[in-house]
Amino acid sequence: MNGVVVTGLGVVSPHGDDAQAMFSALMRGESAVQPIFPELPRPAAAAAAAFDETRWFNKLQLAGVDRVSQLAVAAADLALRDAGGLGDADRERVGVYAGCGMGGAAALDTAYRSAGRVPPLTIPAFMPNAPASHVAMRQGIKGPVITYSVACASSAVAIAEAAKAIRNGEVDVAIAGGSEALLVPGVVLAWQAMMTLANFQPGEAALACRPFANDRSGFVLGEGAAFLVLESSERAQARQARTYARLSGWGMSCDATHLTKPDAGGQQRALNAALRTAGLQPADVGYCNAHGTATKIGDGVEAEALRGAWGKAIDALQVSSTKALHGHLLGAAGALEAVVTVLAVHHRQVPPNAHCGSPDTALGLNLVLQPGTAVPGLRAAISSSFAFGGTNSALLFERA
């Protein structure tokens, strides 16, 4: 069995396309959430990714390429550059493992509004596996190219599956992550209809998402892409690559109870599995980048799962949800938050649980309430992703 390490990070996020700068902004508690679509019947807020597609595509290449695929190509390319490229790697021994929850929302929205003149490339533009395929074509990847569409757990599952492939010797290098670009009016209206999006007063959109707070009212949508370059520790050592962290544990489970209502037992099984795979005890893990959607039910269930998994060690586990600052990227959430968790371990700093002026003390969590929190002894951290449909995924990273 091979050890799995992270040697490259790439993001196109609401805080920009530099992973280190994004992490610094999160450490300062800077929100990228803004009001969107003023024409909608009810106010909405989201965190959009600032993105210049002309850095990666010319006009001809953009034909039939939805924004969700554009973001993926850019983030994967940035991750590979950060890792020093693929070098002489056998492209048949390199894989792309990508998560995407909703596919090309913009292409589908355009088709619905087309008055019968549907663009001929609508189908390949909105299919959920298009981002992974475009990454493979851009980088010449000829190994497994697989898409995981598991709602909010999509890219976390993709990263776990990539790690398994490296551990088992199926591939030498994996480009693993996900992308999501669903900030179109129809999708926002659909989420509003579910009554899951945060309420906010005029001028206060940036503070709308308040995970684990007494006054939490839901999440805000975000868009972007994030990819990690994973490879065996032996290969990384042989090429003297910089290593951010080890991906030492992962766990997956299903609630098998309800499509949208989370279950603490299911979540706890995923957390326990990640600890077990890594061979760690709860007390070894000092930080959790929580799923933390800021819904009344969701945060309570997650807190119960964490308390169940950590037991007496729960008070020493520092917890925050960065969704307060970058929004909920759905299919790309797990990947973006994995990047944040890797950098937390790498720098031994943990981002704040922002906008939580009045924490819900009944949850029993040790929330990170101050920006710029350093944790000199941080050895390991976990990132959790819990999806509609009942799939739960947890990724555990250790210092290299």
Side-chain angles (χ1 to χ4, degrees):
M1 296 293 184
N2 296 313
V4 182
V5 295
V6 181
T7 57
L9 302 172
V11 302
V12 179
S13 80
H15 289 91
D17 60 15
D18 181 307
Q20 300 288 347
M22 176 196 73
F23 185 73
S24 295
L26 295 176
M27 286 298 299
R28 294 190 297 269
E30 295 179 5
S31 175
V33 178
Q34 298 179 346
I36 59 167
F37 304 135
E39 71 274 15
L40 295 183
R42 292 178 12 224
F51 176 62
D52 179 7
E53 67 276 9
T54 62
R55 290 175 56 191
W56 282 272
F57 297 87
N58 60 39
K59 187 174 181 180
L60 182 61
Q61 290 173 324
L62 281 170
V65 183
D66 188 89
R67 183 174 174 86
V68 71
S69 295
Q70 298 169 24
L71 297 172
V73 166
D77 185 57
L78 290 169
L80 283 170
R81 291 188 204 177
D82 189 47
L86 288 172
D88 60 356
D90 181 353
R91 297 309 196 267
E92 294 184 13
R93 297 278 303 167
V94 180
V96 177
Y97 299 79
C100 185
M102 300 190 72
L108 201 57
D109 196 65
T110 298
Y112 285 149
R113 297 168 183 270
S114 64
R117 295 183 293 275
V118 177
L121 297 178
T122 296
I123 294 294
F126 83 73
M127 62 187 191
N129 67 316
S133 298
H134 280 287
V135 169
M137 290 187 290
R138 178 62 62 100
Q139 302 296 339
I141 307 303
K142 298 178 181 178
V145 177
I146 308 174
T147 297
Y148 300 84
S149 189
V150 199
C152 310
S154 298
S155 53
V157 169
I159 293 168
E161 293 297 310
K164 291 180 188 177
I166 291 173
R167 182 190 63 177
N168 295 333
E170 298 170 17
V171 296
D172 298 325
V173 183
I175 307 165
S179 61
E180 201 79 273
L182 41 68
L183 299 185
V184 296
V187 173
V188 174
L189 285 168
W191 281 104
Q192 285 184 332
M194 283 201 72
M195 306 297 289
T196 57
L197 298 188
N199 302 315
F200 59 95
Q201 297 299 316
E204 296 182 357
L207 311 176
C209 184
R210 299 181 291 276
F212 305 115
N214 275 318
D215 60 349
R216 63 189 185 272
S217 63
F219 58 85
V220 297
L221 294 171
E223 69 167 359
F227 281 86
L228 293 74
V229 175
L230 305 178
E231 55 188 296
S232 69
S233 53
E234 292 81 2
R235 183 179 190 276
Q237 290 169 4
R239 69 182 190 90
Q240 297 184 321
R242 176 206 42 222
T243 300
Y244 285 105
R246 287 189 294 134
L247 175 47
S248 58
W250 47 87
M252 286 180 277
S253 69
C254 184
D255 296 341
T257 56
H258 196 278
L259 271 178
T260 59
K261 183 180 179 181
D263 176 72
Q267 294 179 6
Q268 186 177 333
R269 288 193 294 275
L271 295 166
N272 287 337
L275 289 165
R276 189 166 54 247
T277 304
L280 296 179
Q281 297 300 313
D284 298 324
V285 182
Y287 171 65
C288 173
N289 187 288
H291 188 59
T293 56
T295 60
K296 285 290 185 183
I297 293 176
D299 284 7
V301 169
E302 182 169 10
E304 181 182 348
L306 284 169
R307 293 195 308 271
W310 259 254
K312 294 180 179 179
I314 190 63
D315 291 340
L317 179 69
Q318 299 194 71
V319 178
S320 68
S321 170
T322 49
K323 286 183 176 71
L325 303 172
H326 55 62
H328 191 347
L329 275 65
L330 300 190
L336 186 69
E337 291 160 25
V339 170
V340 174
T341 307
V342 165
L343 290 174
V345 170
H346 182 67
H347 293 297
R348 286 181 162 168
Q349 300 174 343
V350 294
N353 189 76
H355 315 148
C356 191
S358 176
D360 186 346
T361 56
L363 299 179
L365 297 179
N366 178 12
L367 299 175
V368 183
L369 297 178
Q370 297 301 320
T373 299
V375 187
L378 185 63
R379 171 187 169 189
I382 195 166
S383 177
S384 53
S385 300
F386 306 133
F388 277 6
T391 295
N392 308 297
S393 181
L395 303 171
L396 203 158
F397 299 93
E398 290 185 76
R399 280 185 63 81

